[in-house]
Amino acid sequence: MGVYNWNWSILFKEPYLGWIISGFGNTILIALLAWAIAFPLGSVIGILRTVENRVLRLAATTYVEIFRNIPLLVQMFLWYFVVPELLPADWGRWVKRDLPYPQFITVVLCLGLYTAARVAEQVRSGIEAIPRGQRNAGLAMGLTPTQVYRHVLIPVAYRTIIPPLTSDFLGVFKNSSLALTIGVLELTAQSRQIEEYTFAAFEAFAVATVLYCLVTGLVIAIMRVVETRTRIVGAITVGG
Amino acid sequence: MFSGFDFDVIWRNMPFLLNGVWLTLQLTIMAVTGGILLGLILAVARLSGIKPLAWGVAAYVNFLRSMPLILVIFWFYTLVPKLTGTSISGFYSVLIAFIMFEAAYYSEIIRAGISSVKRGQISAAMALGLTNLQAMRYVVLPQAIRNMIPVLLTQSIVMLQDTSLVYVVGLRDFLTSAEIVASRDNRPTELYLFVALIFLVVCFSASRLVNRLRRKYTL
């Protein structure tokens, strides 16, 4: 192995410091916006997978299977290169010519819709884990199905799925790195670019690595607080 | 809606695309095998009861699980040749990255599988006079394996999808080959729809099979 010239100071020089900061900002922004799509949409789809109506259930299942079984990167290419071609001509022209920040919007949309399928699966399994008796008891007391979901099933289901939802939330930060394939300069892309400009591979990748670890640590800490705050007094697990 | 599209471009480039499929398959099979083997070692180390070892493995697993796979690919693709001082091929650098990365996920699945066997079973085996090794071999593992195989297979389907990320270092897998044809012949719509459809069919059927397996074998 040759002698490696360490050069950590490069990370604090312009323009590299600025690249890291803007890359990190983009990563956070993409992840939060994608989650803002994924969480509500995934919740609706997950709930639809558990309702009595067969058509709604089938539609929700189809959504989940399609978005789960195509690699995220292929989905990214579909949204970016293919969808504008399949739209009606006027819309396609608008998307290609007038849409501001087209790559950024594509990434957020793609990642949001993909993650929604994962959120949906967690929500469904959270609801299905609740014994059927609770739903029946709610209905027997004269609650409408909507009320049963609102007051009985959902409050319990969401509490039990906090840990798997946390890992999906972490997933949006990690998966936002795919944005670099269509030219959005997020954290991984910027560290790669610094490596290409300076050949300081260790330093460039290390700073990205540390920042991703920081995000993970922070998210896990926050979700622990959420979990403690929302715990139902006296309940250990969902049961009976 | 598909007037003006030329799906014939796929047939004309089939041999080239098949080469890509072959690389995807090779990478998946080798990474799954290597990942499960390394994951097994990590899981056993973590359950060994030797504290420093268990902590070391936990740190490794949690560290890799907070990394995006693309960054891990960049790390290995750039650094393996530098560290070994040889001109190792891109394929093997990436393969090592996948094995190290996926092992973190596999080891958690294997650990959960082994932990899912109730303690009473081990006590019962001991009471019957089995040795530690015999208890592992005849009581714990047969049950643990039945519980974890569906999950290991599901993770392997995810892994098959993840191999498309080698695109970022230009390795010619299925997706990258399709991308090359798409930009050369200016036919992105046909090529990307084709790739998406193949993945959808393969991964959907595979996950259906895994579900059947799960219902049949899980204890």
Side-chain angles (χ1 to χ4, degrees):
Chain A
M1 184 182 161
V3 178
Y4 188 84
N5 293 315
W6 295 100
N7 189 2
W8 291 100
S9 64
I10 200 117
L11 299 174
F12 299 99
K13 277 191 200 128
E14 284 306 331
Y16 309 122
L17 181 64
W19 289 2
I20 294 166
I21 293 170
S22 82
F24 190 49
N26 271 337
T27 292
I28 303 286
L29 201 59
I30 293 169
L32 293 181
L33 290 175
W35 188 254
I37 296 176
F39 186 67
L41 181 63
S43 297
V44 171
I45 295 169
I47 290 168
L48 288 183
R49 288 202 72 181
T50 64
V51 297
E52 302 289 333
N53 185 317
R54 233 184 231 179
V55 178
L56 290 177
R57 233 166 42 211
L58 183 69
T61 308
T62 309
Y63 180 95
V64 170
E65 293 297 348
I66 288 177
F67 281 87
R68 261 205 329 190
N69 287 312
I70 297 175
L72 180 56
L73 184 52
V74 178
Q75 291 187 30
M76 193 82 79
F77 286 178
L78 287 180
W79 287 113
Y80 192 61
F81 297 110
V82 177
V83 169
E85 303 294 328
L86 300 182
L87 290 172
D90 289 348
W91 297 16
R93 209 171 304 123
W94 181 80
V95 167
K96 277 185 246 175
R97 238 196 277 144
D98 300 328
L99 181 71
Y101 309 110
Q103 292 96 341
F104 189 86
I105 289 176
T106 305
V107 168
V108 168
L109 186 75
C110 170
L111 192 53
L113 296 179
Y114 168 83
T115 310
R118 312 188 62 94
V119 171
E121 279 303 271
Q122 311 296 1
V123 171
R124 176 183 68 96
S125 74
I127 292 174
E128 282 178 353
I130 301 170
R132 218 167 155 83
Q134 298 222 2
R135 183 195 293 252
N136 293 340
L139 293 171
M141 285 176 71
L143 300 184
T144 63
T146 315
Q147 287 174 322
V148 170
Y149 273 97
R150 165 74 188 80
H151 297 290
V152 180
L153 299 176
I154 289 176
V156 179
Y158 274 87
R159 286 179 167 91
T160 58
I161 60 171
I162 290 175
L165 271 187
T166 304
S167 93
D168 283 330
F169 185 46
L170 289 172
V172 287
F173 289 95
K174 292 187 272 177
N175 287 332
S176 68
S177 60
L178 269 73
L180 67 88
T181 59
I182 59 170
V184 177
L185 292 173
E186 44 62 71
L187 183 55
T188 303
Q190 293 288 21
S191 70
R192 170 78 157 171
Q193 193 172 316
I194 294 172
E195 186 258 333
E196 277 164 358
Y197 274 68
T198 64
F199 299 104
F202 274 106
E203 295 87 337
F205 293 145
V207 70
T209 302
V210 168
L211 288 174
Y212 280 113
C213 285
L214 214 72
V215 169
T216 305
L218 198 67
V219 168
I220 289 176
I222 292 172
M223 293 311 278
R224 285 234 174 95
V225 174
V226 171
E227 204 173 354
T228 327
R229 285 275 172 86
T230 57
R231 185 166 293 156
I232 304 170
V233 181
I236 300 167
T237 48
V238 193
Chain B
M1 154 161 127
F2 288 102
S3 60
F5 291 118
D6 167 27
F7 284 92
D8 195 46
V9 68
I10 292 162
W11 302 116
R12 286 199 305 272
N13 292 288
M14 203 38 111
F16 184 71
L17 292 175
L18 279 177
N19 271 335
V21 171
W22 176 229
L23 188 134
T24 294
L25 286 179
Q26 276 179 303
L27 186 60
T28 305
I29 291 167
M30 290 161 105
V32 165
T33 316
I36 290 181
L37 282 177
L38 182 59
L40 184 65
I41 295 170
L42 292 176
V44 170
R46 197 158 175 193
L47 294 170
S48 66
I50 307 166
K51 279 214 171 127
L53 193 62
W55 284 339
V57 171
Y60 173 86
V61 168
N62 289 332
F63 173 67
L64 274 180
R65 284 180 10 132
S66 57
M67 286 298 109
L69 178 52
I70 293 185
L71 184 59
V72 178
I73 291 175
F74 282 156
W75 265 115
F76 281 87
Y77 191 77
T78 323
L79 294 179
V80 169
K82 277 191 187 165
L83 284 175
T84 56
T86 52
S87 53
I88 186 170
S89 80
F91 179 83
Y92 286 104
S93 298
V94 168
L95 176 62
I96 295 171
F98 271 95
I99 290 176
M100 304 285 277
F101 183 81
E102 296 293 331
Y105 290 82
Y106 282 126
S107 84
E108 287 293 279
I109 295 168
I110 295 170
R111 187 168 71 102
I114 293 176
S115 311
S116 74
V117 179
K118 298 259 182 333
R119 278 214 96 75
Q121 300 253 349
I122 302 171
S123 312
M126 296 290 160
L128 281 164
L130 299 188
T131 65
N132 262 330
L133 225 63
Q134 285 174 324
M136 204 47 158
R137 164 79 184 74
Y138 294 106
V139 180
V140 178
L141 281 184
Q143 301 183 67
I145 287 171
R146 284 175 75 155
N147 283 338
M148 67 199 176
I149 276 190
V151 196
L152 286 176
L153 290 175
T154 303
Q155 180 62 32
S156 304
I157 298 172
V158 173
M159 154 98 239
L160 167 67
Q161 298 189 21
D162 282 348
T163 57
S164 60
L165 294 184
V166 301
Y167 168 81
V168 297
V169 290
L171 223 56
R172 288 191 181 181
D173 72 325
F174 184 30
L175 177 61
T176 310
S177 306
E179 192 268 340
I180 292 170
V181 175
S183 44
R184 194 195 55 204
D185 295 359
N186 196 22
R187 290 278 166 208
T189 307
E190 293 84 343
L191 266 304
Y192 294 141
L193 281 178
F194 176 66
V195 173
L197 189 71
I198 299 289
F199 269 109
L200 182 61
V201 169
V202 170
C203 296
F204 178 71
S205 328
S207 65
R208 275 291 136 114
L209 274 175
V210 172
N211 264 339
R212 270 173 57 190
L213 211 68
R214 189 198 315 271
R215 264 183 234 122
K216 213 164 156 194
Y217 289 110
T218 304
L219 295 167

